[in-house]
């Protein structure tokens, strides 16, 4: 879908499950820091906040609904931004565990990963020697034997438990071209209603690489499969983040930034916050003549149920 002349939705992914506290002091893991950075990102122009939880005491990834509840009410009280909860979980979680926080708080959106794949951060472990917490090194190194499991049965389970029962709209995370075909199959059997929202993801080790030719190919494939029945956004991992967001916007897409996807603000320079990345992409997009969507405009573009329907 070309989406020319429409507003651009900035999603900001605040902390994720890829990076660890040693890598950047700016990566938030305490609930008050996740809340503060999310609110600041929304004030800087993010219409959608993609959120993971972490254990407050050591920053390891958490899918405990109680940990989400330590920051979600603060975010809701301070911003109108759309809350999008991750269902990605950590290296060992089942799909039942991964969707439990969303079942508890019934957000407007959640992520939904559209295929099983290698998903590895192990090369990052070689860049650090002194770790802030003792779980970090093993977490990263063990990801080389991790299969990020998202079978058709898992996807159908999430569609039923979150989509049907909670009217949650999905950020369909597609890390490779095959994931688009998985989504098409799921739509054909009635799992998801148009317009779907697809996040094209580039540069994860295990997914399609961060080459602009791949973005063009993903977009062309999605056009063929979904016609005008989809909205799309792009995230480039690491150094690809801003270039890919800018290119996506030029091609008619929405964009995602945030410390989940990259810890940097420019080559070799760590970002000081999520809001700094939002401010940067917003400035670039506005300089190029694009308009940024407010949260309510994002709700309309994506067909969301509304902030009054969440339970946090
Ligand atoms: N847990 C990672 C392997 C998402 O937010 O849905 C991927 C992930 C993506 O968490
Ligand atoms: Zn995520």
């Amino acid at each position: 879908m070309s989406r020319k002349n429409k507003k651009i939705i900035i999603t900001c992914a605040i902390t994720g499950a890829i990076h660890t506290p040693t890598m950047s002091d700016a990566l938030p893991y305490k609930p008050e820091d996740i809340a503060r950075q999310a609110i600041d990102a929304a004030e800087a122009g993010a219409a959608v906040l993609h959120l993971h939880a972490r254990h407050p005491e050591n920053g390891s990834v958490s899918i405990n609904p109680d940990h989400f509840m330590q920051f979600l009410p603060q975010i809701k009280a301070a911003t109108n931004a759309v809350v999008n909860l991750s269902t990605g979980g950590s290296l060992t979680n089942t799909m039942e565990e991964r969707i439990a926080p969303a079942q508890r708080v019934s957000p407007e959106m959640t992520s939904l990963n559209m295929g099983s794949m290698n998903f590895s951060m192990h090369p990052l472990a070689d860049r650090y020697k002194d770790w802030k917490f003792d779980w970090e090194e093993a977490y990263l190194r063990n990801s080389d034997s991790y299969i990020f499991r998202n079978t058709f049965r898992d996807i159908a389970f999430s569609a039923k438990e979150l989509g049907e029962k909670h009217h949650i709209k999905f950020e369909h995370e597609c890390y490779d071209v095959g994931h688009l075909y998985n989504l098409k199959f799921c739509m054909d059997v009635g799992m998801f209603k148009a317009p779907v929202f697809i996040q094209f993801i580039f540069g994860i080790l295990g997914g399609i690489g961060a080459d602009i030719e791949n973005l063009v190919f993903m977009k062309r494939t999605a056009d063929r499969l979904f016609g005008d029945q989809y909205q799309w956004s792009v995230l480039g991992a690491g150094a690809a983040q801003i270039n890919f967001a800018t290119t996506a916007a030029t091609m008619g897409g929405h964009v995602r930034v945030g410390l989940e996807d990259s810890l940097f603000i420019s080559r070799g320079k760590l970002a000081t916050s999520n809001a700094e990345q939002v401010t940067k992409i917003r400035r670039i997009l506005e300089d190029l003549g694009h308009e940024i969507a407010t949260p309510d405009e994002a709700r309309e573009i994506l067909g969301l149920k509304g902030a009054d329907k969440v339970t946090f």
Side-chain angles (χ1 to χ4, degrees):
M1 186 177 197
S2 81
R3 221 208 78 254
K4 289 257 155 56
N5 303 322
K6 289 209 195 130
K7 298 199 175 179
I8 294 181
I9 299 168
I10 301 177
T11 295
C12 186
I14 303 295
T15 189
I18 295 174
H19 298 119
T20 71
T22 294
M23 298 175 186
S24 169
D25 290 338
L27 185 73
Y29 61 88
K30 295 190 175 130
E32 60 273 23
D33 294 335
I34 293 174
R36 180 76 264 148
Q37 287 217 31
I39 293 162
D40 290 348
E43 280 169 5
V48 178
L49 300 168
H50 170 112
L51 295 163
H52 294 238
R54 292 188 181 244
H55 286 92
E57 69 286 355
N58 69 3
S60 60
V61 179
S62 168
I63 39 117
N64 181 342
D66 292 339
H67 287 149
F68 282 89
M69 282 305 285
Q70 289 175 0
F71 54 76
L72 289 176
Q74 288 89 318
I75 294 171
K76 187 178 174 206
T79 82
N80 184 34
V82 174
V83 164
N84 170 354
L85 247 57
S86 173
T87 61
S90 186
L91 304 191
T92 53
N93 304 126
T94 63
M95 192 49 103
E96 283 81 357
E97 292 167 334
R98 285 161 50 184
I99 69 165
Q103 286 175 309
R104 164 101 158 256
V105 306
S106 198
E108 291 180 84
M109 298 182 77
T110 69
S111 66
L112 182 53
N113 295 273
M114 292 311 296
S116 301
M117 58 189 288
N118 293 342
F119 192 121
S120 199
M121 300 83 84
H122 69 280
L124 291 176
D126 292 330
R127 298 193 197 165
Y128 305 90
K129 274 235 296 276
D130 299 318
W131 299 93
K132 275 188 194 158
F133 297 107
D134 56 9
W135 62 270
E136 296 179 59
E137 184 174 5
Y139 178 76
L140 295 168
R141 292 204 187 279
N142 287 336
S143 65
D144 69 351
S145 72
Y146 173 52
I147 298 170
F148 187 29
R149 185 192 146 134
N150 301 286
T151 63
F152 283 110
R153 191 176 292 185
D154 293 329
I155 292 167
F157 176 66
S158 304
K160 185 162 193 297
E161 293 301 317
L162 301 181
E164 268 179 43
K165 294 191 184 164
H166 287 271
H167 306 290
I168 289 169
K169 185 85 177 183
F170 296 111
E171 175 194 14
H172 292 279
E173 302 205 330
C174 291
Y175 300 80
D176 217 324
V177 183
H179 294 180
L180 298 174
Y181 287 85
N182 293 351
L183 175 57
K184 170 71 172 150
F185 170 81
C186 292
M187 287 180 78
D188 287 347
V189 298
M191 246 182 253
F192 307 114
K193 281 198 222 72
V196 287
F197 179 52
I198 307 177
Q199 192 70 256
F200 297 168
I201 301 177
F202 301 90
I204 295 292
L205 184 56
I208 201 166
D211 296 307
I212 292 294
E213 288 89 340
N214 291 338
L215 167 50
V216 173
F217 183 52
M218 286 279 272
K219 168 71 167 59
R220 196 181 298 151
T221 304
D223 280 345
R224 196 169 61 247
L225 294 176
F226 306 109
D228 62 359
Q229 301 295 294
Y230 78 110
Q231 292 285 330
W232 63 287
S233 175
V234 164
L235 85 82
Q241 184 180 59
I242 296 293
N243 280 348
F244 266 68
T246 307
T247 308
T250 306
M251 292 168 64
H254 304 287
V255 304
R256 175 169 135 174
V257 293
L259 299 184
E260 169 167 347
D261 306 330
S262 168
L263 293 172
F264 293 88
I265 192 67
S266 56
R267 185 159 288 280
K269 188 164 176 243
L270 287 171
T272 55
S273 67
N274 280 278
E276 193 183 14
Q277 291 181 344
V278 174
T279 300
K280 177 168 178 173
I281 194 64
R282 181 184 186 153
R283 188 177 60 240
I284 292 170
L285 298 183
E286 288 181 339
D287 280 354
L288 291 172
H290 300 295
E291 280 185 274
I292 304 304
T294 65
D296 284 338
E297 288 166 342
R299 287 184 173 95
E300 179 151 0
I301 294 167
L302 300 178
L304 305 186
K305 65 181 177 177
D308 56 332
K309 306 278 189 323
V310 304
T311 56
F312 56 93

